[in-house]
Amino acid sequence: MSATSLPATVPAPVPVSNGPNAIQKLLQDKDWKFYAAVASASLLAGAGLYFLTRDSSSSATPEAKSSKSKKKKNNKKKKSSAAKESTTPEEKTADSSASEKATENKDADDNVETMSKETIAGLTEKKRLEHANTLKTRGNSMYSAKKWEEAIRLYSQAIAFNPDPVYYSNRAACYSIVGKFDNVIEDTTLALKMNPTYVKALGRRAHAYENTGKHQEAMHDFTALCILDGFKNESFAQSMERNLKKVADVKAKEILKNREERLPSTTFMSAYLDSFRKGDVPDNKPEDEETGDAQFELAEYYLAQRRYQEAMNAYNKAIDLNTTHMAQALNMRGTFTFLMGDGKKALLDFDKAIEIDPNYVQTYIKRGSIFMEQGDAIKTFNEFETAISIDAEDPNIYYHRGQVFFITGEYEAAAKDYIKSIELEPKFVFSHIQYGVAQYKLGNISDAMNVFKKALKDFPESGDVNNYYGELLLDQQQFDQAFERFDKAIKLRPSNPLPYINKALLVFQWKQDPAGAEKLCLQSLDADPECDVAIATLGQLFLQQGKIEKAIEYFEKSIEMARTEAELTSALGFREAANSQLVFARDYPEQSKALKR
């Protein structure tokens, strides 16, 4: 959680998606090759890279025995697209003289095309190999002439003489062109059993899986291709990502059909709710009376205590009992609904709250957040303009509009709104924090650091100032000072899991101490057992250490805690990518061992 990424979600996250494709953003922010295919980016160097880039045909197949001229032709073809690779047969002959000889002797050898299995079995091995190569050559000629069925017949007869992986792969290329993808899968699987590192056969099978809607199998094959090909073919990478997304999308929709609504973690809830200035809160717990107003007061008390499930239940009860604070109660129920990921349902409560009290500014702000999540910028900013027309002196308006500007990358506009918010309410710490980070994003490093230094003086008891200042210092690689800030943040507010996580990343990055980083992340879960950031970070830490099963365990927890479909898709993407690593290790144990050296 670096300073360059934190403002999209903290210190007071506007709960909107960062983009239409959370996985794509994640893959752009990180090294997707690492996440999708190997346990550590460092493994792509040294012996591992040598192993992956050398000739993958290690078994004694005819392809491995081919002439130098054939190898040169193969090398020239490596840069062709994946789609082209999936339909192009092996070179037409092992050498030109063999081709000429096969043509000259065609009449004499015509019976090889119809020779029975019994007759073939009686031939010497040398004769079987010669006839098989002749048939393959004829098959390639038919392929070039686009006579696919004839090519299939000839490759099939070649297989009868010599079940070679190249012949199966060539026949699969023909099946692919005529749309018989189940046959492609069958033939390439047979080829791969004989030569597991046969990249061309693997590519054909991957495309066939995709064409038959078997996206998970396609994703596994494309992941293996990325590794075996040394990450040189960008089309393999794009295909892997495309199938990964389809797998995650389908599984996300399946999960959401049966998922019960639940509140996000206390950390997430607090970050958003704390971004609004608080009104008067009861010092003592009110009586739990069966009246609407009593339940509303009880809900406000629970809210201040960060007992959010109890607060939501009390707001619901207050509404059912017709509290006189109906607009505020509907506003809060809509807020909880929104934070659970149901923006459309939340809008119903917000609309009703505005009907009851058209001057309740906070509801317009929150409704604007939903429109932002829905991608409607015009409606979003209209809500803020309406709020300003009602009360231009409400600092909440400018802070939250600043958040919207920030998320959309308009940092100068965001900074202006943060300044306005500070002018109206100088004691609201998050405006100072976000203003400092906005300056940092604008490249005004010195100004950003000065903002935080002043905030440290103005808010000496704020763990949040120390935490986010520490993130900027970490991004500037001022590690000692960052350590100091994270430690101070933990001391000031031990219940906040975020500084533990930041310190964990610092320990991992700077001290190369994965065990220490893991311990700190677990401490953050002691502070908030449902902290989604801590759970996701632990998953990634285990992934980087090659502890794939352990990583998957935490990605499963991330899936359980995901608030929106986009978050769920992202968490599923991590899990499926990690699963692909396990599949690769199972199917390619020798290559997997080489990566770990």
Side-chain angles (χ1 to χ4, degrees), residues 276-314:
F276 292 91
R277 280 70 168 179
K278 301 186 184 308
D280 295 331
V281 179
D283 293 328
N284 299 310
K285 181 180 177 181
E287 293 295 324
D288 189 0
E289 298 175 358
E290 289 297 309
T291 68
D293 285 354
Q295 289 299 314
F296 179 80
E297 292 298 320
L298 189 61
E300 293 283 284
Y301 172 79
Y302 285 140
L303 190 69
Q305 297 294 312
R306 303 182 188 276
R307 294 160 64 176
Y308 297 124
Q309 186 64 53
E310 292 166 288
M312 183 173 71
N313 294 340

Side-chain angles (χ1 to χ4, degrees), residues 106-409:
K106 184 178 186 305
D107 293 337
D109 292 338
D110 269 347
N111 66 322
V112 300
E113 296 185 11
T114 57
M115 192 176 290
S116 67
K117 292 182 179 178
E118 292 76 12
T119 304
I120 293 171
L123 298 175
T124 64
E125 181 180 2
K126 181 179 179 181
K127 267 295 181 186
R128 288 200 304 272
L129 292 176
E130 286 178 1
H131 290 327
N133 190 61
T134 297
L135 288 162
K136 185 198 78 167
T137 301
R138 294 178 187 177
N140 287 347
S141 296
M142 292 300 100
Y143 184 96
S144 297
K146 299 184 178 180
K147 296 180 179 180
W148 318 121
E149 295 298 338
E150 184 66 9
I152 289 170
R153 184 184 70 79
L154 290 164
Y155 290 139
S156 298
Q157 186 69 352
I159 289 168
F161 279 91
N162 177 31
D164 185 280
V166 171
Y167 305 162
Y168 281 110
S169 183
N170 285 2
R171 188 170 69 175
C174 297
Y175 282 136
S176 180
I177 290 172
V178 299
K180 295 182 179 180
F181 296 111
D182 288 336
N183 295 88
V184 176
I185 293 168
E186 183 180 352
D187 271 3
T188 51
T189 299
L190 287 169
L192 289 165
K193 283 181 180 178
M194 289 182 268
N195 182 4
T197 58
Y198 190 0
V199 169
K200 185 168 283 191
L202 188 61
R204 286 171 181 154
R205 189 175 71 174
H207 284 286
Y209 276 140
E210 184 171 13
N211 279 306
T212 53
K214 297 176 180 178
H215 297 294
Q216 188 145 31
E217 291 86 346
M219 176 188 68
H220 293 327
D221 277 358
F222 280 121
T223 298
L225 280 166
C226 288
I227 301 175
L228 294 173
D229 192 54
F231 299 105
K232 294 178 297 215
N233 192 322
E234 186 61 28
S235 67
F236 291 158
Q238 293 169 355
S239 298
M240 182 281 299
E241 185 179 342
R242 181 175 63 249
N243 283 277
L244 173 63
K245 185 181 184 306
K246 287 180 180 177
V247 170
D249 284 345
V250 169
K251 293 191 175 185
K253 286 178 171 59
E254 290 174 357
I255 291 171
L256 289 172
K257 284 180 184 177
N258 304 311
R259 169 171 283 188
E260 294 182 4
E261 291 184 343
R262 56 177 289 177
L263 291 173
S265 68
T266 299
T267 300
F268 185 95
M269 294 284 296
S270 298
Y272 183 69
L273 294 170
D274 287 352
S275 67
F276 292 91
R277 280 70 168 179
K278 301 186 184 308
D280 295 331
V281 179
D283 293 328
N284 299 310
K285 181 180 177 181
E287 293 295 324
D288 189 0
E289 298 175 358
E290 289 297 309
T291 68
D293 285 354
Q295 289 299 314
F296 179 80
E297 292 298 320
L298 189 61
E300 293 283 284
Y301 172 79
Y302 285 140
L303 190 69
Q305 297 294 312
R306 303 182 188 276
R307 294 160 64 176
Y308 297 124
Q309 186 64 53
E310 292 166 288
M312 183 173 71
N313 294 340
Y315 282 124
N316 280 329
K317 208 167 183 180
I319 291 167
D320 291 341
L321 294 171
N322 293 315
T323 176
T324 59
H325 306 285
M326 185 61 75
Q328 293 92 325
L330 286 166
N331 171 70
M332 287 310 303
R333 186 172 74 176
T335 302
F336 284 118
T337 303
F338 178 35
L339 293 175
M340 287 189 290
D342 193 343
K344 291 182 179 178
K345 187 177 177 181
L347 273 178
L348 298 177
D349 276 343
F350 291 149
D351 291 345
K352 200 177 296 183
I354 287 172
E355 286 177 18
I356 296 169
D357 184 358
N359 294 319
Y360 192 29
V361 167
Q362 190 180 117
T363 309
Y364 293 97
I365 296 172
K366 293 176 179 177
R367 197 162 68 171
S369 294
I370 294 179
F371 291 141
M372 185 65 190
E373 187 173 67
Q374 294 174 348
D376 194 331
I378 294 175
K379 281 188 177 180
T380 298
F381 288 104
N382 283 343
E383 291 297 304
F384 285 106
E385 290 301 321
T386 302
I388 290 171
S389 70
I390 295 168
D391 184 1
E393 300 300 306
D394 187 330
N396 286 314
I397 301 170
Y398 303 100
Y399 176 78
H400 283 275
R401 190 173 67 176
Q403 293 291 75
V404 172
F405 279 131
F406 196 107
I407 290 169
T408 55

Side-chain angles (χ1 to χ4, degrees), residues 412-593:
E412 288 188 12
K416 289 179 182 178
D417 270 349
Y418 295 142
I419 290 172
K420 181 70 173 177
S421 177
I422 292 168
E423 289 173 353
L424 294 169
E425 177 53 80
K427 294 182 180 180
F428 186 63
V429 66
F430 290 126
S431 294
H432 296 268
I433 291 172
Q434 283 296 107
Y435 176 59
V437 179
Q439 290 294 334
Y440 191 85
K441 294 290 282 186
L442 285 166
N444 303 325
I445 309 301
S446 178
D447 290 345
M449 295 304 183
N450 288 334
V451 169
F452 273 97
K453 288 174 183 177
K454 184 176 185 302
L456 287 173
K457 294 178 181 178
D458 294 341
F459 303 93
E461 299 303 311
S462 171
D464 291 305
V465 173
N466 282 276
N467 180 52
Y468 298 119
Y469 185 33
E471 291 205 12
L472 297 192
L473 292 166
L474 174 57
D475 197 63
Q476 288 290 302
Q477 299 189 21
Q478 298 182 34
F479 299 128
D480 284 324
Q481 293 183 53
F483 250 117
E484 182 183 339
R485 289 301 129 204
F486 295 143
D487 284 337
K488 182 72 171 178
I490 292 169
K491 182 178 180 181
L492 289 170
R493 190 177 156 199
S495 62
N496 182 7
L498 298 181
Y500 294 98
I501 299 167
N502 281 326
K503 186 177 177 182
L505 296 177
L506 179 54
V507 165
F508 185 84
Q509 175 185 344
W510 184 32
K511 294 194 173 182
Q512 301 293 303
D513 181 6
E518 180 182 332
K519 182 178 179 181
L520 283 161
C521 282
L522 292 172
Q523 284 182 281
S524 75
L525 288 176
D526 289 337
D528 180 0
E530 295 190 339
C531 178
D532 50 349
V533 180
I535 290 169
T537 303
L538 270 168
Q540 293 177 38
L541 283 173
F542 285 125
L543 194 63
Q544 292 188 40
Q545 296 174 68
K547 299 177 181 178
I548 311 301
E549 292 88 350
K550 197 71 175 174
I552 290 173
E553 177 186 330
Y554 279 90
F555 292 146
E556 292 282 3
K557 292 179 181 179
S558 289
I559 290 167
E560 292 174 14
M561 303 200 59
R563 187 185 67 88
T564 65
E565 185 173 345
E567 291 174 3
L568 181 58
T569 301
S570 177
L572 283 163
F574 268 120
R575 186 192 69 184
E576 295 304 318
N579 273 327
S580 279
Q581 295 184 40
L582 290 181
V583 172
F584 181 81
R586 180 198 68 197
D587 294 346
Y588 299 92
E590 293 302 318
Q591 289 82 351
S592 183
K593 287 178 184 176

